[in-house]
Amino acid sequence: MLVTIWSGLVLGAIYALIATGFTIAMLPTGVFNFAHGAIVVGGSFLTYQFLAVNKLPSVLAVILTMLAGTVLGVLCELLTVRPLRAATGTVGTGALVTTVGASTAIAGWVGVKWGYIPLLVPFVGPGGFVHAFGILMRPVEITVVALAVVSAVACELVFRKTRQGQACLAVAEDIEPAMLRGINVSRFSLIAFALSGMFGALAGVLVGPITYADPTLAPTLALTGFVAVALGGEGSFVGGLIGGIVVGLVSTLATRYVGANYGNTAVLVLLLVALSLKPKGLGGQQKARIV
Amino acid sequence: MSRQKKWVGLTAVILAATTVAACSSSGSTKSASTAAASGGTINVLVVADQTGPNKTIGTQEALGVQAGAAYLNAQGGVLHRKIAVTILNDVGDAATATSLVIKQLAQNPAKYSMIYPGEEGTIVAALIPIVKRDSLYAVDINDGSSGCVAAASCPTQFSLSGAASLTTEAPASFFAGKKYTNVGVLSAQLDFTANEATDIQPYLKKAGIKYETASFPVSAVSVTSEMSQLKSGGAQAVYAAAFGAPIGYILQARAQLGWNVPVVFDVAGASFNIPALAPASELSSTYETAFACMAPSSNLPAIGLISKYAPTTQDPTVPCNQTASGWDSMMLFAAAAKSAGSLSATSLAKATEGIKLTNGTATPLADYAAYCYTGADHENACQTGSDFVVVPVGKIANSKLAPLS
């Protein structure tokens, strides 16, 4: 039972990391960047390249991967969001199509560059197992869980407690009044996508050793991240964390104790029930705020 | 737009996008390709991925066909005519394959005497209706979900592979030989792997081995729960029908559970370089169900001939059975043509139904030891369980399994 719970927790932490990356980009832009899953996958491939092929030191490999993620994030904003805003003044659901396109392009690029056979990504930390609570845990799994929790809480604090963060929340709630208040939406959007890309690449550094670098994983990560955000509540980092972990645990427990075919079904039923009871998700709240 | 509406909108768009992605369409033309070419060169059409996700297998299968054609040409050709091979790149996509073949046949009616239709089952399955409509003689690697078991569905098409269940005979014998009494069967929820998980059960039952099954969705990124379930059931070994990253997940889960039981991967798993998917510490007591040509001790003459006649160097990291399938398709075609004395699809099909082709000097074979078909069943009835071997997992080098150092 403990092994199953730990397995679900690790899976949930992966989804939570995706949800955090989604939310970083979504808050100041209102855009659900479906290319984020592909950026995470790209981060995994780059980690493989830098560590397994180029044999770079771990710190340098992580920095280069995060820089590449930042560039991918910026490109996503410039190519998939900005033209829509320039053309119509708003982004709307058009970004859904353009970011899915960006996801396909990134996944295609990694497929062409590294092929479609999954690659074993080295972990930048120690290998082996850690014995705790009567089960075996891998250091990379512990790191993923820790990063998911720390990053969600840290982002929540930054966005709720800082002036820039509150400006982002204002944009998320209603873009036009925020613009009237002097918030430079385009600048915030670019920075948010850059940070989201950097975070996605960092997630790829840690997720890759668990899931392998695999171009076909991008849509799966994007969709489960979407479910985690929907469950946790749009705009809430802690909600995304909870949503991701709930999705991971429910999926794993249902698979183990109900049947392998019921993991995804259980998650979707949970999502429907949760959204019908709390349409804004578990952590979603709408508050009046002066900026 | 309110937030609730936005979520509903997003979900609707995702559902619509998923639906569109799941659907594929193919054009339809009225091709007049009803008879093979007469006189001059014999044209063979190969449909195989050269640049897309299946290129590692598609390029090697095409190379096998080219090697087979070059070998036959060196022997004087088929019916004293030389063979020319045309390759269509389907980029690993069934809709693309269908569209390209329709166009190619429309532009070149009655040109092709044989087609090698697709590098793997789902693409083969998509091309079956076109092959049937245009009455082309076709030899495929396998027919998807047994699309050519009934010959009426594929009157002129033949599969190199036979009943999928035969691939599970060797692992079942392996478990019986080790005197195991309880085996866990784990499979990905895909047609092919799920069928294998079912196919092995009668063999296990016959050997008096108790079994428990578990499966995981293709989108899974961990199979620890499923392995935990099998461990709880007291399994002494695991038969794993999986390919791609799940191979690594299975080995990770075994290590995480501290469960040092043997794991035997199926033929699909064996098509991957398993040691590249797990650290060396997780590879002990790991086996794979390999094609006979992959066994370290294998020394089939046909494999040497493929190397000799292939126009380019084979990819040494791809198992030999991929080039072997292309090669064997040409041997079958040549034998059918010789027997029929004609290149018309119906004559070739009739001749193939009466052939028993066995590995030998005249017809060196590499994929399976023998081929035979009946008028009712166009899958290879001469495939046997001994066409596969269970061997310790190894690195793929020179297209064979090399023992781990």
Side-chain angles (χ1 to χ4, degrees):
Chain A
M1 178 74 173
L2 277 177
V3 172
T4 306
I5 289 174
W6 175 246
S7 179
L9 204 58
V10 172
L11 197 59
I14 292 173
Y15 300 155
L17 285 175
I18 308 295
T20 297
F22 272 141
T23 308
I24 292 173
M26 195 189 338
L27 270 182
T29 62
V31 173
F32 209 97
N33 179 16
F34 271 92
H36 190 69
I39 293 175
V40 174
V41 168
S44 297
F45 274 100
L46 287 167
T47 308
Y48 168 82
Q49 178 70 33
F50 295 142
L51 290 177
V53 179
N54 303 129
K55 311 282 184 196
L56 296 183
S58 299
V59 175
L60 182 59
V62 174
I63 291 171
L64 288 176
T65 304
M66 289 171 74
L67 278 175
T70 308
V71 171
L72 282 176
V74 167
L75 285 175
C76 275
E77 205 277 343
L78 293 177
L79 299 175
T80 67
V81 177
R82 193 154 296 214
L84 292 174
R85 193 180 288 122
T88 62
T90 59
V91 177
T93 49
L96 190 63
V97 176
T98 55
T99 57
V100 167
S103 173
T104 307
I106 295 170
W109 167 66
V110 296
V112 169
K113 173 81 178 74
W114 288 282
Y116 290 86
I117 293 175
L119 299 170
L120 184 61
V121 181
F123 175 47
V124 292
F129 288 98
V130 174
H131 287 259
F133 309 110
I135 57 172
L136 294 171
M137 302 171 177
R138 294 196 299 155
V140 65
E141 295 172 335
I142 296 169
T143 312
V144 163
V145 173
L147 180 70
V149 174
V150 170
S151 60
V153 172
C155 286
E156 193 76 47
L157 287 174
V158 167
F159 276 84
R160 305 280 165 197
K161 302 291 181 190
T162 66
R163 190 173 170 79
Q164 287 78 9
Q166 292 209 333
C168 289
L169 294 177
V171 175
E173 283 180 9
D174 207 334
I175 193 166
E176 285 172 13
M179 288 170 79
L180 289 173
R181 288 275 184 171
I183 294 172
N184 186 338
V185 173
S186 290
R187 183 165 151 264
F188 270 85
S189 173
L190 192 66
I191 292 171
F193 266 74
L195 289 174
S196 172
M198 185 172 74
F199 185 77
L202 175 63
V205 171
L206 298 175
V207 170
I210 297 173
T211 64
Y212 295 82
D214 182 354
T216 62
L217 205 58
T220 303
L221 292 178
L223 281 174
T224 44
F226 171 80
V227 173
V229 171
L231 193 61
E234 180 190 353
S236 168
F237 290 98
V238 172
L241 171 68
I242 294 168
I245 286 174
V246 168
V247 168
L249 282 173
V250 167
S251 167
T252 308
L253 290 168
T255 300
R256 172 68 181 86
Y257 295 105
V258 184
N261 297 321
Y262 295 94
N264 289 339
T265 309
V267 168
L268 288 173
V269 168
L270 174 77
L271 180 66
L272 287 174
V273 171
L275 289 183
S276 59
L277 295 175
K278 283 199 79 178
K280 295 183 191 309
L282 301 175
Q285 287 180 337
Q286 199 162 7
K287 290 177 182 172
R289 185 178 296 107
I290 297 171
V291 292
Chain B
M1 189 186 292
S2 77
R3 288 183 167 213
Q4 275 171 269
K5 278 185 181 171
K6 187 175 165 186
W7 279 111
V8 170
L10 276 172
T11 309
V13 174
I14 290 167
L15 283 172
T18 309
T19 309
V20 169
C23 295
S24 61
S25 61
S26 61
S28 108
T29 57
K30 290 185 178 175
S31 169
S33 176
T34 54
S38 59
T41 306
I42 294 173
N43 291 291
V44 171
L45 184 64
V46 176
V47 186
D49 185 1
Q50 304 296 296
T51 55
N54 296 338
K55 73 173 181 184
T56 47
I57 57 175
T59 53
Q60 301 310 294
E61 289 174 45
L63 209 57
V65 173
Q66 290 175 303
Y71 168 77
L72 292 168
N73 286 342
Q75 308 298 307
V78 171
L79 301 181
H80 307 294
R81 290 161 61 182
K82 301 289 183 189
I83 303 167
V85 177
T86 304
I87 299 170
L88 288 182
N89 178 9
D90 65 27
V91 298
D93 177 60
T96 305
T98 309
S99 164
L100 284 175
V101 171
I102 288 172
K103 191 174 167 191
Q104 187 76 9
L105 296 177
Q107 288 174 347
N108 304 279
K111 179 179 178 182
Y112 297 104
S113 301
M114 178 200 160
I115 178 171
Y116 184 88
E119 72 277 6
E120 54 89 21
T122 57
I123 292 176
V124 175
L127 292 175
I128 285 174
I130 299 168
V131 170
K132 184 180 178 186
R133 184 196 67 178
D134 285 14
S135 189
L136 291 163
Y137 180 75
V139 179
D140 61 55
I141 184 165
N142 75 60
D143 52 355
S145 300
S146 301
C148 291
V149 168
S153 306
C154 305
T156 56
Q157 182 164 346
F158 298 83
S159 264
L160 295 172
S161 62
S165 61
L166 290 168
T167 65
T168 61
E169 191 180 316
S173 301
F174 172 84
F175 295 130
K178 297 280 185 187
K179 311 274 185 226
Y180 296 134
T181 55
N182 188 344
V183 167
V185 177
L186 180 62
S187 69
Q189 289 166 356
L190 282 168
D191 274 356
F192 182 72
T193 47
N195 285 346
E196 283 189 315
T198 308
D199 290 338
I200 197 171
Q201 292 170 19
Y203 292 115
L204 293 174
K205 206 177 281 181
K206 194 176 166 189
I209 299 171
K210 192 179 135 198
Y211 58 85
E212 181 172 2
T213 61
S215 65
F216 55 89
V218 285
S219 58
V221 293
S222 166
V223 296
T224 306
S225 327
E226 292 83 356
M227 286 288 277
S228 170
Q229 178 190 334
L230 297 178
K231 185 184 180 188
S232 304
Q236 299 160 298
V238 172
Y239 175 67
F243 62 90
I247 291 171
Y249 303 158
I250 289 166
L251 297 175
Q252 276 179 12
R254 181 178 64 167
Q256 184 143 30
L257 293 168
W259 191 34
N260 192 27
V261 293
V263 170
V264 177
F265 286 101
D266 67 329
V267 281
S271 66
F272 281 81
N273 196 10
I274 295 174
L277 291 171
S281 58
E282 293 176 5
L283 287 171
S284 62
S285 295
T286 306
Y287 301 84
E288 55 189 302
T289 310
F291 277 79
C293 73
M294 289 171 68
S297 58
S298 159
N299 191 23
L300 287 168
I303 296 296
L305 290 171
I306 294 172
S307 298
K308 182 179 173 185
Y309 285 98
T312 56
T313 310
Q314 295 170 65
D315 183 344
T317 64
V318 178
C320 50
N321 61 296
Q322 304 298 345
T323 47
S325 59
W327 171 273
D328 282 10
S329 73
M330 291 308 297
M331 298 304 116
L332 189 59
F333 166 67
K338 190 177 172 188
S339 172
S342 159
L343 290 173
S344 85
T346 45
S347 301
L348 287 168
K350 196 167 172 54
T352 307
E353 287 169 355
I355 279 175
K356 175 156 187 191
L357 197 62
T358 52
N359 185 22
T361 313
T363 51
L365 302 175
D367 209 13
Y368 300 108
Y371 295 94
C372 58
Y373 303 87
T374 67
D377 182 351
H378 282 189
E379 286 189 332
N380 180 11
C382 282
Q383 180 188 311
T384 67
S386 57
D387 283 319
F388 305 94
V389 288
V390 173
V391 291
V393 74
K395 288 179 184 167
I396 299 177
N398 292 325
S399 302
K400 288 169 64 172
L401 288 168
L404 296 174
S405 53

